[in-house]
Each structure stands twice: as C-alpha cells, then as structure tokens.
Amino acid sequence: MALKPLSAGELADTPTLFASFMGYMDRRYKTVGQLLSIYRERSGTLRAVEDRADDLRVDRFMADMTGKRWNADVVIRIGVFDGTVLVIDGIHRAIAYLACIEQGVSPDHLPTLQVDC
C-alpha cells in the first residue's frame, strides 16, 4: 500500500466509478466535486428509511471528522481502467472531507487526506 497526500482541489477533480448517484442518472463518471453537488441537492429530500445505499452516511462522516471522532486518515483508493484513473473506494469519505473543506474547515482541523495508489 503506497499512501500519498492529496489536496482538496485534486480530490474535487478526481473522477469516481459512479456515473449515477442518489437517483441522478448519467453515463459519464462523476468527480468527487460533482457527487458533492448531487449530495447537497438530494440529501435533504431523502429519508433515512429510503436510503438503501446509506448515502446519508456522508453527514455522519462529516460530523465525525469535524468533531475529532475520526481516528484515522481519510484514505481513498484509486484504480486505473482503460487508462482512466477512478476513485474506487472511499467515495463517501471523500465527499464528506470535501464538504468539510467547502464549509470552511481548515485541513489542519481534519484527518489527513491520502490516496492509496
């Protein structure tokens, strides 16, 4: 496992293996930043009992990260498919981390963001 630091900007622009998310359907892979936008748009209308994919865990992850209850680095895993680098694991953690940054939380007050490549 080779862990490397990743900036929030790099994270936002990294494509994931999700083309569809929280009822939003598309054919193109979405970046972490695009998934955050979809999450913000749809999380307020999704009830927990309807959340079969447990997408609402993003809010819990954010609370844990900002409340110092997250006890490890935020690690996302990438893979390369047909020459395209995609986030394949840690997508919900990545969305939560990016949301914290966009809300003005300093990276110094969050767990370290790293990519496993």
Side-chain angles (χ1 to χ4, degrees):
M1 178 198 292
L3 295 178
K4 296 183 179 181
L6 187 68
S7 74
E10 291 169 319
L11 177 65
D13 293 336
T14 303
T16 70
L17 59 78
F18 287 179
S20 302
F21 183 62
M22 295 184 78
Y24 177 90
M25 306 298 278
D26 201 351
R27 291 183 175 187
R28 295 188 177 148
Y29 296 124
K30 298 292 166 237
T31 66
V32 175
Q34 290 170 320
L35 293 179
L36 174 56
S37 179
I38 294 167
Y39 183 81
R40 285 188 174 136
E41 178 184 317
R42 296 179 181 242
S43 64
T45 62
L46 183 63
R47 297 178 341 160
V49 296
E50 299 167 335
D51 185 20
R52 293 186 192 131
D54 196 20
D55 293 321
L56 296 177
R57 65 186 142 168
V58 170
D59 286 335
R60 293 190 310 269
F61 289 171
M62 289 172 61
D64 287 347
M65 287 178 194
T66 58
K68 304 291 184 195
R69 293 182 301 274
W70 195 276
N71 297 322
D73 293 345
V74 175
V75 177
I76 62 168
R77 226 172 99 210
I78 60 170
V80 180
F81 301 91
D82 294 327
T84 302
V85 175
L86 300 172
V87 176
I88 60 172
D89 185 44
I91 296 171
H92 290 83
R93 293 184 298 261
I95 295 168
Y97 185 91
L98 189 58
C100 290
I101 293 293
E102 288 189 359
Q103 287 179 351
V105 179
S106 168
D108 296 336
H109 293 104
L110 291 171
T112 302
L113 175 63
Q114 298 193 68
V115 62
D116 177 7
C117 41

